[in-house]
Amino acid sequence: MNRLTSETNWKKTVNYSYDLIWNITKITSPQSSPLQGEEVATKYNYDNNSRLINITKDNQNIIDYSYNSLNKIKETLWNWITTNFTFDELNRLSSLTTQNAKETINNYSYTYNTNWNIISNWVENYNYDNLNQIIEANYKTRERNKELIERFTIYSM
């Protein structure tokens, strides 16, 4: 299998490394000024199930990932901000919460119809036709909390 191992643009070369099952493990690139000539190494680390568990840049942690028993991302930790993902009994995303040490930044929830279409999230509601094509979105705008309805017409050929 062929993989990109290096590329050169504007006289700068970026190198790529992979593990035995072709997960990208490292990208090495030239440092931007003022440290011209030095290289920056971004490393990608995986668990035994080949799931990305963290990314580091110059040996400093950038982001961590953890997974649930069904191999779905359960949590990310980036720059002291945690995002938690929860799933319903059918393994569909049901909520997403982002928080730092002091407060919740975002808290989103999702509901689905029997055809697995999202019918509502934190601000919008959706309606679908018999072919599972979206035909309407109801939502409130951020300005003046005004409710809007968008309707979609599906043309068949």
Side-chain angles (χ1 to χ4, degrees), residues 26-82:
K26 185 176 177 183
I27 299 174
T28 306
S29 58
Q31 175 83 23
S32 306
S33 40
L35 302 173
Q36 290 286 49
E38 293 188 27
E39 289 189 335
V40 175
T42 304
K43 294 181 181 178
Y44 301 82
N45 299 298
Y46 302 87
D47 65 11
N48 291 336
N49 293 320
S50 196
R51 300 177 299 194
L52 183 63
I53 55 172
N54 77 340
I55 300 172
T56 62
K57 190 170 190 175
D58 284 342
N59 295 320
Q60 294 204 359
N61 205 41
I62 302 297
I63 189 166
D64 291 312
Y65 301 91
S66 61
Y67 299 85
N68 67 17
S69 61
L70 297 172
N71 294 319
K72 297 246 186 187
I73 291 179
K74 176 177 69 174
E75 182 179 271
T76 63
L77 176 60
W78 170 79
N79 200 22
W80 304 106
I81 296 174
T82 302

